[in-house]
């Protein structure tokens, strides 16, 4: 590997979740330092911790809180005991963890007394997972002879006050990131930075949304800037399909930014979709690799221009969706139906993964997660009360559960007839397609199928991918 300058490596929850996993992460960092003059580490909370923290807050709200504190203490202490050799250092790490756990207990008590938890309070609770994990990982690195320093990203990831889904201010973040991290890297220390969290300009803790540690790595990579960002997870990069559904699925060696963006958006769980944007904008290399199989090259994300010719690369599924339809012959004349529809949906905080409109304009149809349908239909019924009364809109309803299957590949742009092949294959296997949408980028085609046919559809389309690639 060529001597480049700065590498950001992000470890996911499973990569630091147990003593052997974290030991492996430590080894990965130790080795990377031989090839890279500067390494910055970003880490998630230990796997399961964020869930446990938020569950506790939920219970506190309902007055049924029973302390998860001892479970959390045990998880973190097991790691401290096994990976921090120096006794004084171990005692210090324990004390820091205890301190954060005391903060956790206080927050839960406050929530219990108030009987409510604001998004701001939930972010304070959720932030504790990463604040604990960085302290352990930094100490474990030092035990392995790697000079390291934990850093709370609340010091430099500056965000708005949109708690639970905060948006970074990149300019402010850039200035502070350099101020705080450069002194460390220039001394040859490895900063170990909390993923997932930031703070407002007033210093109030925010989070970037669940799974947001990847995003933190992207933000940091862009702000420094890094030459490369590597996301360490527990699978060999991005697979051509979910191997539990399609056993012949294999790692995709190279994906373009647009392909990975579509895949992340359409349910491939390997990468938080927001990670990609800051990284593309600065042209930073991105790689997804496996902590538990570190010699595997994983998946490289390359610029859209350097795309290889493979037409279709992957198929994914978003499960647990329902299609909502707004239908009425009078809709043709009603102004702004689509705008009002999606404003009403947005008011419920629901995001819409797929939209189709028949050209007759007599219906609009879109998917939303099943658990939001009641709320969404209620919001629409309210928004169109007048049109419903006048019979311009006949009905608004949610159909049975469906799955959105998406086929992704940048080569589709230049390859006529690929949609034909997709639907021929599905037709041959007697899979009924309920709705179709093609991404405007032409990098993906999505189709909606009944939930019970989803796995079959994934296998059919994955076979098509294998065939196409064999010819390719
Ligand atoms: N710990 C956070 C979560 O579980 C962030 C992350 O793991 O990326 O959502
Ligand atoms: Mg994650």
């Amino acid at each position: 590997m060529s001597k480049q300058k700065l590498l950001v490596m992000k470890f996911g929850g499973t990569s630091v979740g147990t003593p052997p996993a974290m030991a492996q992460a430590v080894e990965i960092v130790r080795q990377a330092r031989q090839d890279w003059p500067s390494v910055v580490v970003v880490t998630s909370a230990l796997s399961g911790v964020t869930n446990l923290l938020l569950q506790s807050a939920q219970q506190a709200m309902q007055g049924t809180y029973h302390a998860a504190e001892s479970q959390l203490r045990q998880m973190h202490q097991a790691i401290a005991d096994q990976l921090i050799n120096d006794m004084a250092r171990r005692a210090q790490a324990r004390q820091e963890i205890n301190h954060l756990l005391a903060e956790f207990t206080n927050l839960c008590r406050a929530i219990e007394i108030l009987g409510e938890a604001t998004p701001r309070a939930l972010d304070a609770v959720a932030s504790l997972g990463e604040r604990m994990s960085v302290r352990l990982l930094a100490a474990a690195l030092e035990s392995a002879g790697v000079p390291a320093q934990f850093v709370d990203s609340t010091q430099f990831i500056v965000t708005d006050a949109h708690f639970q889904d905060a948006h970074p201010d990149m300019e402010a973040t850039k200035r502070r990131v350099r101020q705080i991290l450069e002194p460390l890297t220039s001394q040859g220390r490895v900063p170990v930075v909390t993923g997932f969290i930031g703070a407002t300009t007033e210093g109030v803790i925010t989070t970037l949304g669940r799974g947001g540690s990847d995003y933190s790595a992207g933000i940091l990579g862009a702000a420094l800037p890094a030459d490369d960002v590597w996301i360490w997870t527990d699978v060999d990069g991005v697979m051509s399909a979910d191997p539990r559904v399609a056993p012949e699925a294999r790692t995709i060696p190279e994906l373009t930014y647009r392909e990975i963006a579509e895949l992340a958006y359409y349910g491939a769980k390997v990468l938080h979709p927001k990670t990609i944007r800051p990284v593309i904008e600065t042209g930073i290399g991105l790689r997804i690799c496996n902590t538990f199989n570190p010699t595997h090259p994983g998946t490289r994300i390359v610029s859209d221009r350097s795309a290889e010719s493979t037409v279709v690369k992957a198929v994914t599924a978003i499960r647990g969706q329902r299609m909502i339809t707004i239908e009425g012959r009078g809709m043709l004349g009603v102004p702004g139906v689509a705008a009002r529809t999606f404003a009403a949906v947005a008011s419920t905080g629901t995001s819409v993964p797929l939209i189709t409109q028949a050209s007759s304009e007599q219906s609009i149809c879109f998917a939303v997660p099943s658990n939001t349908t009641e709320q969404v239909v209620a919001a629409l019924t309210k928004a169109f009360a007048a049109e419903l009364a006048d019979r311009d809109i006949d009905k608004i309803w949610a159909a049975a559960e469906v799955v959105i299957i998406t086929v992704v590949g940048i080569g589709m742009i230049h390859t006529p007839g690929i949609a034909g092949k997709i639907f021929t294959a599905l037709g041959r296997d007697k899979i009924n397609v309920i709705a179709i949408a093609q991404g405007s980028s032409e990098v993906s085609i999505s189709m909606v199928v009944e939930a019970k046919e989803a796995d079959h559809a994934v296998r059919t389309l994955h076979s098509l991918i294998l065939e196409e690639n064999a010819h390719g």
Side-chain angles (χ1 to χ4, degrees):
M1 185 170 304
S2 65
K3 278 264 181 207
Q4 295 192 47
K5 271 186 65 214
L6 201 162
L7 173 65
V8 170
M9 293 205 286
K10 179 261 171 178
F11 293 96
T14 51
S15 298
V16 292
T18 62
M22 196 184 279
Q24 182 70 28
V26 165
E27 182 52 25
I28 287 169
V29 176
R30 210 181 58 78
Q31 289 197 8
R33 282 183 83 243
Q34 294 167 3
D35 297 317
W36 297 78
S38 300
V39 175
V40 173
V41 168
V42 177
T43 183
S44 292
L46 315 197
S47 54
V49 165
T50 311
N51 284 343
L52 209 54
L53 291 166
L54 288 171
Q55 243 168 45
S56 301
Q58 202 71 36
Q59 288 169 351
M61 206 156 38
Q62 291 153 358
T64 57
Y65 173 62
H66 36 237
E69 199 192 314
S70 62
Q71 192 185 344
L72 290 167
R73 180 174 291 111
Q74 266 170 27
M75 288 170 78
H76 290 87
Q77 261 173 22
I79 292 184
D81 290 346
Q82 291 188 46
L83 301 187
I84 308 174
N85 302 326
D86 180 89
M87 281 309 182
R89 200 68 189 73
R90 191 191 296 175
Q92 189 194 335
R94 277 177 173 238
Q95 204 187 351
E96 286 165 358
I97 303 285
N98 281 334
H99 194 78
L100 291 166
L101 287 173
E103 194 174 324
F104 168 61
T105 307
N106 286 338
L107 282 164
C108 285
R109 290 225 177 93
I111 291 170
E112 195 165 29
I113 291 166
L114 291 170
E116 68 164 0
T118 58
R120 172 174 168 165
L122 290 173
D123 274 358
V125 172
S127 74
L128 291 163
E130 273 71 10
R131 287 157 71 201
M132 291 191 280
S133 67
V134 285
R135 284 157 171 85
L136 282 183
L137 182 54
L141 281 163
E142 295 236 285
S143 265
V146 178
Q149 170 66 52
F150 73 82
V151 186
D152 286 322
S153 58
T154 46
Q155 291 183 63
F156 52 72
I157 301 217
V158 183
T159 73
D160 61 13
H162 195 306
F163 296 101
Q164 299 192 292
D165 190 19
H167 187 74
D169 173 343
M170 280 309 284
E171 283 316 307
T173 299
K174 249 178 221 167
R175 278 194 304 276
R176 294 210 202 167
V177 162
R178 290 181 193 153
Q179 244 168 40
I180 291 168
L181 296 187
E182 258 168 26
L184 292 172
T185 50
S186 65
Q187 291 164 25
R189 295 184 89 75
V190 175
V192 180
V193 180
T194 51
F196 184 46
I197 64 180
T200 64
T201 36
E202 289 79 38
V204 182
I205 296 180
T206 56
T207 68
L208 305 173
R210 291 307 307 273
S213 293
D214 294 344
Y215 188 23
S216 308
I219 294 168
L220 215 58
L224 281 160
D227 296 279
D228 251 17
V229 174
W230 294 0
I231 306 286
W232 290 93
T233 177
D234 52 10
V235 290
D236 293 335
V238 183
M239 308 284 286
S240 52
D242 181 342
R244 288 165 303 185
V245 178
E248 296 105 71
R250 52 180 178 78
T251 299
I252 307 166
E254 231 179 63
L255 279 172
T256 71
Y257 288 129
R258 271 153 81 182
E259 289 171 329
I260 184 80
E262 297 284 297
L263 279 172
Y265 182 74
Y266 284 110
K269 290 241 160 45
V270 279
L271 190 69
H272 191 289
K274 285 188 184 165
T275 315
I276 298 144
R277 186 130 160 252
V279 174
I280 300 185
E281 282 170 357
T282 30
I284 293 166
L286 189 62
R287 189 184 151 203
I288 298 165
C289 31
N290 189 352
T291 300
F292 306 98
N293 189 12
T295 54
H296 192 290
T299 299
R300 263 259 154 223
I301 314 298
V302 298
S303 82
D304 296 322
R305 264 162 286 128
S306 50
E308 36 165 321
S309 61
T310 318
V311 178
V312 276
K313 289 190 183 163
V315 52
T316 62
I318 312 188
R319 292 166 199 276
Q321 304 289 309
R322 288 175 74 183
M323 296 298 286
I324 295 192
T325 307
I326 303 183
E327 194 178 73
R329 261 156 297 173
M331 274 172 65
L332 200 58
V334 180
V337 176
R340 286 165 60 202
T341 298
F342 295 109
V345 177
S347 75
T348 68
T350 305
S351 78
V352 176
L354 180 138
I355 304 170
T356 60
Q357 176 170 31
S359 57
S360 69
E361 282 189 46
Q362 292 184 358
S363 72
I364 295 180
C365 190
F366 57 92
V368 293
S370 297
N371 59 0
T372 65
T373 35
E374 230 169 273
Q375 223 189 337
V376 169
V377 170
L380 290 168
T381 307
K382 194 166 152 216
F384 290 112
E387 286 79 4
L388 285 161
D390 293 348
R391 306 296 307 269
D392 285 334
I393 289 175
D394 295 323
K395 50 181 180 170
I396 298 173
W397 85 96
E401 193 154 295
V402 292
V403 172
I404 301 172
I405 310 275
T406 303
V407 176
V408 175
I410 203 164
M412 292 197 295
I413 296 176
H414 309 292
T415 313
I418 190 67
K421 283 185 188 167
I422 287 172
F423 296 111
T424 304
L426 291 172
R428 187 195 58 213
D429 287 4
K430 302 199 166 44
I431 295 162
N432 182 36
V433 175
I434 298 166
I436 302 167
Q438 174 161 40
S440 56
S441 62
E442 287 185 56
V443 169
S444 70
I445 295 178
S446 295
M447 43 245 132
V448 177
V449 302
E450 267 179 65
K452 65 177 195 310
E453 293 192 317
D455 286 354
H456 189 187
V458 167
R459 282 191 289 272
T460 296
L461 294 171
H462 191 257
S463 305
L464 180 68
I465 291 173
L466 291 181
E467 261 166 55
E468 287 291 305
N469 289 344
H471 299 160

